Amino acid sequence: MTRLHNDPAAFADEALEGFVAAHRRWVRPVPGGVVRATAKTPGRVAVVIGGGSGHYPAFSGLVGQGLAHGAAVGNVFASPSAQQIRGVAKAAQAGGGVLLMYGNYAGDVLHFGQAAERLNGEGIPTRTFAVTDDISSAGPDEAHKRRGIAGDLPVFKAASAAAEQGSTLDEVARIAAHANDRTRSFGIAFSGCTLPGADHPLFTVPEGRMAVGLGIHGEPGIGEEPVPTADEAAELLVTTLLKELPDGIGTPHGQRAAVILNGLGSVKYEELFVVYRRVAQLLDEAGVTAVDPEVGELVTSFDMAGISLTLTWLDDTLEALWTAPADTPAYRKGAVPEAAAADEESYEAEEGPEAYTASEESRRAAATALDALRLLKETVDTHADELGRIDAVAGDGDHGIGMQRGSTGAYEAALEACELGAGARSLLTAAGDAWADKGGGTSGALWGIVLRALGDALGDTERPTPASVAHGVLRASDGVRRTGGAEVGDKTMVDVLVPFAETLGQQVDAGAELTAAWDAAATAAERSARDTAHLLPKMGRARPHAEKSLGTPDAGAHSLALIVRAVHGALATCQ
Amino acid sequence: MTRLHNDPAAFADEALEGFVAAHRRWVRPVPGGVVRATAKTPGRVAVVIGGGSGHYPAFSGLVGQGLAHGAAVGNVFASPSAQQIRGVAKAAQAGGGVLLMYGNYAGDVLHFGQAAERLNGEGIPTRTFAVTDDISSAGPDEAHKRRGIAGDLPVFKAASAAAEQGSTLDEVARIAAHANDRTRSFGIAFSGCTLPGADHPLFTVPEGRMAVGLGIHGEPGIGEEPVPTADEAAELLVTTLLKELPDGIGTPHGQRAAVILNGLGSVKYEELFVVYRRVAQLLDEAGVTAVDPEVGELVTSFDMAGISLTLTWLDDTLEALWTAPADTPAYRKGAVPEAAAADEESYEAEEGPEAYTASEESRRAAATALDALRLLKETVDTHADELGRIDAVAGDGDHGIGMQRGSTGAYEAALEACELGAGARSLLTAAGDAWADKGGGTSGALWGIVLRALGDALGDTERPTPASVAHGVLRASDGVRRTGGAEVGDKTMVDVLVPFAETLGQQVDAGAELTAAWDAAATAAERSARDTAHLLPKMGRARPHAEKSLGTPDAGAHSLALIVRAVHGALATCQ
């Protein structure tokens, strides 16, 4: 379990601080993560990687010459926010454009996508690439839905080495796609990790059993078997990977491959070597030459006990990129050219306004919104553990933590905005941006959209009416559906948000008071949250064993239902 | 726990095989361990390190340019045998002499010492150096008794870098001593490791508690406290180390230090970084400049949960050696010069004779000895877990495994010798050498001496008599006392061996049959083993909490008592 921490909520930030303190030769801190400490080469493409904390050396440990130019570092198991990614990309970019790279998880896809949109809007040519190497997370016909695990490394490295050689953004993106097409991983696990501050594991595997294909956040795998011998484990991993060769490779015989035997945290080095002994024999028997094999901990999940095997099938281009030198805190190979240290630049977070303009009526509405955000935050705090447990059934278990960080950040930003005289729109916009930034994950992005939509509907001058509130909720509902791509019945927060928004609108249209309308809508939301439990999830990260979640509500839907009930209290008090 | 293995008895060998398969660029296998894969520079001093398996990257992961020239790799938690060390040293040496380096544990001291003696006898100038950095294992006035933990790395590196620069053997040895004088470590732990094949941890720490100064094999620490916050852990480690500055350093202010925050296995990277954040702050406040800090897993104990902090107080010489480039499987820094690959050399284990000369009478005695060795091996197999548990109370828990490997190796060597017509002396000598080689640890060396002494007394021609057997046991007893340095009452196997030898001698002198005399001596040995339980250990590795072992027999004494009783069966059958 994870034992050493201070305030668990500060864990990821403090870990990043300590990481930087230990690795000043390679990295320097910027808002949102780290960038290389070495001087930029003007005109080069910058490769910016990122993801949640808890996977070291992914992602910050892979920043340095020959590998990434920067890493956006999210909270524990949560995507960095679009704002963080944008901050790191702006600090890392050298005029040649930016390739954002990450593992294929819904929250990351959302935030990196939003960051790319904003960066392109600011004149920095930016593309995105999601690694999809975990073959247990979707079939070959849905390879684009697969999760990214230890295959992150060879794909990041191929793109980064191409960037280092002066390739254009389009070429670097093409290399990333090519490396990803030729990279496959497969893993097994024996136990889950315990997150900082938690008193029990996020997920478990029965004693003496092995979960096949279990995700690094506990996403369900494709089967369960008795713990194998080391040789049996090697045979399972190798034969599974040799069954799914990339297009254009008919037989493994005569092929060359980058090989990574990755430990997830507490399967230790000697055990990995015992397994690798057999992996090497089997590859040899199959006629595959292992090129610069890596046996160690490259993508971890705290102290999770598990291993994965990754093969990247090399052609001449990819072999040159895989064997190119690199010098990062956690990955060093060959000799990189001497490089000057970067000039001391000051990377300041962008500041908000010093004061807001708003009508007195809108300021009163903002005070009500602040009260609602306080109740919301308290509700989330009370239920954070429960939300994490529910999310772990079919997701990565980060919902409780993410919601807690997001709602706390939103409340604090709202409090500051309130003290600076913000109206309802400004307060809710500040709160929404803070939620997306601090909360990370899919839920962070979607809650940011909800609060912004509400704020837009309320404005900074008018007195809110039941109609404008209902209109804002409807816009929030539309925005979440559009951004997340989910519809009612997919077992997401949309199942709750849509009936809530519709009931609220109907009640208000029928002349109900806001509190009464909200009460009726909250009841509809609660009913829907209960109904959700009986559905199969259709959205989000790969869920090959989604049926395991039958009977469990979706965490996002459940938290939304709790929140709309809690917010009712704020409305009742002020009306 | 450790889950991935095949035959647990083959674990260390298979791990080494897989390690070599993954790291052919750096190392090549030789009998006993590994040496660099790069060509030798004639005349250079070779630094050969070593110790038990289970501590990766110590020791094999530290072989390569700028660091060690070779590593002797023992079994799990057991010293390599003198034979292994000698094999590695002979393959690594380049004409400039050899410095053997290891952590200060009784078994290592014994085997590396014996290896040095043999190497010097073969004309290879060899010196030994034991690292003693763990300040929790003995007071400053007994610093030479301290254990070696993560301070191994800076001391090995200083000596190796000096060797790389062409220093003489005496100079390299002087640098090792100087670096060791200036290196201090201190650690805390939360849980023990489970050895391959075992179904429960070798040692435990109560849930929610922290053991202060717990050794990496479970040797008792100096106290127990509640699990601290990360900041409190950092404060404990830094303030403790700053209290014991090396001679000549009056105040930490203005000093420069190599800093290693080491994870023992399942305290993971982000946790280490959270702790290092505060370590860096505290060192900064004390005016200490951290030079090339290392935060990661450098000396492990399988999946043990714990951390240690090491400071090496640098002067100009040591700083140049610490920051010098190195390129090994697990430790890379800067750019080493290009080096050619070593020529393919064949490192064959030395072969035994193809046939033995012996009298028929001695061959019959050898058959009895073989039968005794079989009973011995079966007794050890039956009690291996129990012996490990007993040893873990005040030792490193390797007694069961070591005895099992040793007795199995001895029996197999004896069987082979028997088939080749060996007499009693040749059979027992082969068995003794195999025990020392396969068993490792202190017990391996001492049992090797016991069997050799018995063989010398019995010869290859005469018919053994009760008097010659009793004489051999007495010589074995003397040899063990002399080599191990223990006396009766120190709570070691000597407590059992001496009364056994004395009673046997008295009974035989009084005219008793051998089986009757042996029976009486075994009874005396058993009584002594029971009495041993009430003593405080005075010998062996640092045992600051030796009182914890009050009421528990010494594992070596206990196993010897079991064995002399079992061997009685072999004598009874043949007489």
Side-chain angles (χ1 to χ4, degrees), chain A residues 534-559:
Chain A
H534 304 292
L535 298 177
L536 272 176
K538 298 203 188 91
M539 288 293 302
R541 75 194 71 247
R543 289 170 174 168
H545 270 217
E547 64 271 19
K548 281 197 183 170
S549 74
L550 279 175
T552 308
D554 174 69
H558 185 60
S559 59

mmCIF file of all heavy atoms in Angstrom, chain A residues 534-559:
data_model
loop_
_atom_site.group_PDB
_atom_site.id
_atom_site.type_symbol
_atom_site.label_atom_id
_atom_site.label_comp_id
_atom_site.label_asym_id
_atom_site.label_seq_id
_atom_site.Cartn_x
_atom_site.Cartn_y
_atom_site.Cartn_z
ATOM 1 N N HIS A 534 -28.827 -0.661 -13.678
ATOM 2 C CA HIS A 534 -29.180 -1.907 -14.358
ATOM 3 C C HIS A 534 -28.732 -1.939 -15.819
ATOM 4 O O HIS A 534 -28.997 -2.902 -16.518
ATOM 5 C CB HIS A 534 -30.699 -2.121 -14.273
ATOM 6 C CG HIS A 534 -31.178 -2.102 -12.857
ATOM 7 N ND1 HIS A 534 -30.849 -3.087 -11.960
ATOM 8 C CD2 HIS A 534 -31.892 -1.172 -12.170
ATOM 9 C CE1 HIS A 534 -31.368 -2.793 -10.779
ATOM 10 N NE2 HIS A 534 -32.002 -1.636 -10.873
ATOM 11 N N LEU A 535 -28.090 -0.874 -16.259
ATOM 12 C CA LEU A 535 -27.673 -0.816 -17.661
ATOM 13 C C LEU A 535 -26.234 -1.313 -17.817
ATOM 14 O O LEU A 535 -25.471 -1.406 -16.854
ATOM 15 C CB LEU A 535 -27.753 0.626 -18.168
ATOM 16 C CG LEU A 535 -29.155 1.260 -18.149
ATOM 17 C CD1 LEU A 535 -29.072 2.707 -18.612
ATOM 18 C CD2 LEU A 535 -30.116 0.466 -19.034
ATOM 19 N N LEU A 536 -25.892 -1.589 -19.045
ATOM 20 C CA LEU A 536 -24.504 -1.874 -19.404
ATOM 21 C C LEU A 536 -23.859 -0.589 -19.897
ATOM 22 O O LEU A 536 -24.438 0.112 -20.727
ATOM 23 C CB LEU A 536 -24.453 -2.890 -20.551
ATOM 24 C CG LEU A 536 -24.447 -4.365 -20.203
ATOM 25 C CD1 LEU A 536 -24.495 -5.181 -21.488
ATOM 26 C CD2 LEU A 536 -23.204 -4.725 -19.406
ATOM 27 N N PRO A 537 -22.666 -0.253 -19.434
ATOM 28 C CA PRO A 537 -22.028 0.954 -19.954
ATOM 29 C C PRO A 537 -21.678 0.783 -21.431
ATOM 30 O O PRO A 537 -21.254 -0.284 -21.855
ATOM 31 C CB PRO A 537 -20.761 1.090 -19.108
ATOM 32 C CG PRO A 537 -20.513 -0.264 -18.549
ATOM 33 C CD PRO A 537 -21.831 -0.947 -18.444
ATOM 34 N N LYS A 538 -21.851 1.835 -22.196
ATOM 35 C CA LYS A 538 -21.481 1.750 -23.613
ATOM 36 C C LYS A 538 -20.380 2.732 -23.978
ATOM 37 O O LYS A 538 -19.890 2.728 -25.090
ATOM 38 C CB LYS A 538 -22.714 2.070 -24.486
ATOM 39 C CG LYS A 538 -23.865 1.085 -24.289
ATOM 40 C CD LYS A 538 -24.799 1.061 -25.492
ATOM 41 C CE LYS A 538 -26.046 0.240 -25.209
ATOM 42 N NZ LYS A 538 -27.143 1.058 -24.647
ATOM 43 N N MET A 539 -20.033 3.604 -23.031
ATOM 44 C CA MET A 539 -19.145 4.718 -23.354
ATOM 45 C C MET A 539 -17.822 4.621 -22.603
ATOM 46 O O MET A 539 -17.618 3.768 -21.779
ATOM 47 C CB MET A 539 -19.810 6.027 -22.928
ATOM 48 C CG MET A 539 -20.964 6.425 -23.783
ATOM 49 S SD MET A 539 -20.377 6.836 -25.439
ATOM 50 C CE MET A 539 -19.204 8.145 -25.052
ATOM 51 N N GLY A 540 -16.986 5.576 -22.910
ATOM 52 C CA GLY A 540 -15.802 5.778 -22.095
ATOM 53 C C GLY A 540 -14.702 4.785 -22.398
ATOM 54 O O GLY A 540 -14.656 4.187 -23.469
ATOM 55 N N ARG A 541 -13.826 4.572 -21.449
ATOM 56 C CA ARG A 541 -12.661 3.722 -21.649
ATOM 57 C C ARG A 541 -13.103 2.289 -21.961
ATOM 58 O O ARG A 541 -14.220 1.896 -21.657
ATOM 59 C CB ARG A 541 -11.761 3.760 -20.415
ATOM 60 C CG ARG A 541 -12.261 2.977 -19.246
ATOM 61 C CD ARG A 541 -11.508 3.350 -17.991
ATOM 62 N NE ARG A 541 -11.864 4.682 -17.543
ATOM 63 C CZ ARG A 541 -11.056 5.710 -17.531
ATOM 64 N NH1 ARG A 541 -9.826 5.597 -17.937
ATOM 65 N NH2 ARG A 541 -11.458 6.888 -17.104
ATOM 66 N N ALA A 542 -12.235 1.551 -22.546
ATOM 67 C CA ALA A 542 -12.542 0.169 -22.902
ATOM 68 C C ALA A 542 -13.007 -0.597 -21.672
ATOM 69 O O ALA A 542 -12.370 -0.553 -20.629
ATOM 70 C CB ALA A 542 -11.294 -0.497 -23.482
ATOM 71 N N ARG A 543 -14.132 -1.257 -21.800
ATOM 72 C CA ARG A 543 -14.687 -1.983 -20.653
ATOM 73 C C ARG A 543 -15.067 -3.385 -21.079
ATOM 74 O O ARG A 543 -16.247 -3.709 -21.176
ATOM 75 C CB ARG A 543 -15.925 -1.255 -20.142
ATOM 76 C CG ARG A 543 -15.574 0.050 -19.446
ATOM 77 C CD ARG A 543 -16.815 0.856 -19.170
ATOM 78 N NE ARG A 543 -16.439 2.017 -18.378
ATOM 79 C CZ ARG A 543 -17.225 3.048 -18.156
ATOM 80 N NH1 ARG A 543 -18.436 3.086 -18.650
ATOM 81 N NH2 ARG A 543 -16.818 4.059 -17.437
ATOM 82 N N PRO A 544 -14.076 -4.239 -21.315
ATOM 83 C CA PRO A 544 -14.390 -5.555 -21.851
ATOM 84 C C PRO A 544 -15.260 -6.369 -20.889
ATOM 85 O O PRO A 544 -15.999 -7.223 -21.320
ATOM 86 C CB PRO A 544 -13.029 -6.207 -22.054
ATOM 87 C CG PRO A 544 -12.071 -5.388 -21.290
ATOM 88 C CD PRO A 544 -12.634 -4.041 -21.147
ATOM 89 N N HIS A 545 -15.159 -6.106 -19.600
ATOM 90 C CA HIS A 545 -15.982 -6.842 -18.654
ATOM 91 C C HIS A 545 -17.034 -5.939 -18.040
ATOM 92 O O HIS A 545 -17.266 -5.953 -16.837
ATOM 93 C CB HIS A 545 -15.127 -7.498 -17.577
ATOM 94 C CG HIS A 545 -14.711 -8.879 -17.972
ATOM 95 N ND1 HIS A 545 -14.607 -9.922 -17.104
ATOM 96 C CD2 HIS A 545 -14.404 -9.389 -19.193
ATOM 97 C CE1 HIS A 545 -14.227 -11.006 -17.756
ATOM 98 N NE2 HIS A 545 -14.094 -10.705 -19.013
ATOM 99 N N ALA A 546 -17.657 -5.163 -18.916
ATOM 100 C CA ALA A 546 -18.626 -4.177 -18.454
ATOM 101 C C ALA A 546 -19.740 -4.820 -17.653
ATOM 102 O O ALA A 546 -20.310 -4.194 -16.761
ATOM 103 C CB ALA A 546 -19.194 -3.438 -19.659
ATOM 104 N N GLU A 547 -20.045 -6.077 -17.943
ATOM 105 C CA GLU A 547 -21.167 -6.718 -17.232
ATOM 106 C C GLU A 547 -20.912 -6.785 -15.730
ATOM 107 O O GLU A 547 -21.837 -6.903 -14.950
ATOM 108 C CB GLU A 547 -21.460 -8.118 -17.801
ATOM 109 C CG GLU A 547 -20.351 -9.133 -17.640
ATOM 110 C CD GLU A 547 -19.371 -9.107 -18.810
ATOM 111 O OE1 GLU A 547 -19.338 -8.087 -19.555
ATOM 112 O OE2 GLU A 547 -18.649 -10.078 -18.997
ATOM 113 N N LYS A 548 -19.618 -6.676 -15.348
ATOM 114 C CA LYS A 548 -19.327 -6.656 -13.912
ATOM 115 C C LYS A 548 -20.009 -5.483 -13.222
ATOM 116 O O LYS A 548 -20.209 -5.491 -12.018
ATOM 117 C CB LYS A 548 -17.814 -6.557 -13.679
ATOM 118 C CG LYS A 548 -17.099 -7.877 -13.845
ATOM 119 C CD LYS A 548 -15.722 -7.815 -13.217
ATOM 120 C CE LYS A 548 -14.981 -9.115 -13.452
ATOM 121 N NZ LYS A 548 -13.587 -9.038 -13.084
ATOM 122 N N SER A 549 -20.287 -4.424 -13.992
ATOM 123 C CA SER A 549 -20.868 -3.232 -13.376
ATOM 124 C C SER A 549 -22.386 -3.298 -13.333
ATOM 125 O O SER A 549 -23.026 -2.366 -12.842
ATOM 126 C CB SER A 549 -20.410 -1.987 -14.129
ATOM 127 O OG SER A 549 -21.082 -1.905 -15.373
ATOM 128 N N LEU A 550 -22.979 -4.340 -13.829
ATOM 129 C CA LEU A 550 -24.443 -4.472 -13.751
ATOM 130 C C LEU A 550 -24.848 -4.449 -12.281
ATOM 131 O O LEU A 550 -24.324 -5.207 -11.469
ATOM 132 C CB LEU A 550 -24.900 -5.785 -14.405
ATOM 133 C CG LEU A 550 -25.020 -5.744 -15.932
ATOM 134 C CD1 LEU A 550 -25.363 -7.132 -16.483
ATOM 135 C CD2 LEU A 550 -26.080 -4.732 -16.353
ATOM 136 N N GLY A 551 -25.786 -3.561 -11.954
ATOM 137 C CA GLY A 551 -26.214 -3.442 -10.565
ATOM 138 C C GLY A 551 -25.510 -2.329 -9.829
ATOM 139 O O GLY A 551 -25.912 -1.949 -8.736
ATOM 140 N N THR A 552 -24.417 -1.806 -10.407
ATOM 141 C CA THR A 552 -23.706 -0.682 -9.795
ATOM 142 C C THR A 552 -24.009 0.579 -10.614
ATOM 143 O O THR A 552 -23.928 0.530 -11.840
ATOM 144 C CB THR A 552 -22.186 -0.923 -9.835
ATOM 145 O OG1 THR A 552 -21.923 -2.196 -9.281
ATOM 146 C CG2 THR A 552 -21.437 0.150 -9.065
ATOM 147 N N PRO A 553 -24.361 1.691 -9.952
ATOM 148 C CA PRO A 553 -24.599 2.901 -10.737
ATOM 149 C C PRO A 553 -23.301 3.405 -11.356
ATOM 150 O O PRO A 553 -22.216 3.085 -10.885
ATOM 151 C CB PRO A 553 -25.136 3.898 -9.707
ATOM 152 C CG PRO A 553 -24.615 3.427 -8.394
ATOM 153 C CD PRO A 553 -24.510 1.934 -8.501
ATOM 154 N N ASP A 554 -23.414 4.178 -12.415
ATOM 155 C CA ASP A 554 -22.244 4.884 -12.932
ATOM 156 C C ASP A 554 -21.838 5.944 -11.910
ATOM 157 O O ASP A 554 -22.680 6.631 -11.331
ATOM 158 C CB ASP A 554 -22.586 5.544 -14.263
ATOM 159 C CG ASP A 554 -21.446 6.404 -14.753
ATOM 160 O OD1 ASP A 554 -20.407 5.835 -15.125
ATOM 161 O OD2 ASP A 554 -21.586 7.641 -14.735
ATOM 162 N N ALA A 555 -20.530 6.056 -11.656
ATOM 163 C CA ALA A 555 -20.064 6.971 -10.612
ATOM 164 C C ALA A 555 -20.429 8.413 -10.947
ATOM 165 O O ALA A 555 -20.830 9.193 -10.069
ATOM 166 C CB ALA A 555 -18.556 6.818 -10.433
ATOM 167 N N GLY A 556 -20.288 8.796 -12.222
ATOM 168 C CA GLY A 556 -20.602 10.173 -12.620
ATOM 169 C C GLY A 556 -22.079 10.468 -12.471
ATOM 170 O O GLY A 556 -22.472 11.576 -12.037
ATOM 171 N N ALA A 557 -22.903 9.498 -12.819
ATOM 172 C CA ALA A 557 -24.355 9.680 -12.674
ATOM 173 C C ALA A 557 -24.728 9.770 -11.200
ATOM 174 O O ALA A 557 -25.513 10.629 -10.778
ATOM 175 C CB ALA A 557 -25.093 8.507 -13.335
ATOM 176 N N HIS A 558 -24.124 8.897 -10.404
ATOM 177 C CA HIS A 558 -24.425 8.858 -8.974
ATOM 178 C C HIS A 558 -24.037 10.165 -8.299
ATOM 179 O O HIS A 558 -24.794 10.732 -7.506
ATOM 180 C CB HIS A 558 -23.666 7.679 -8.362
ATOM 181 C CG HIS A 558 -23.972 7.452 -6.915
ATOM 182 N ND1 HIS A 558 -25.243 7.165 -6.453
ATOM 183 C CD2 HIS A 558 -23.174 7.482 -5.811
ATOM 184 C CE1 HIS A 558 -25.213 7.017 -5.137
ATOM 185 N NE2 HIS A 558 -23.967 7.203 -4.728
ATOM 186 N N SER A 559 -22.838 10.663 -8.626
ATOM 187 C CA SER A 559 -22.394 11.895 -7.973
ATOM 188 C C SER A 559 -23.263 13.074 -8.399
ATOM 189 O O SER A 559 -23.598 13.937 -7.583
ATOM 190 C CB SER A 559 -20.915 12.167 -8.265
ATOM 191 O OG SER A 559 -20.683 12.282 -9.646
#
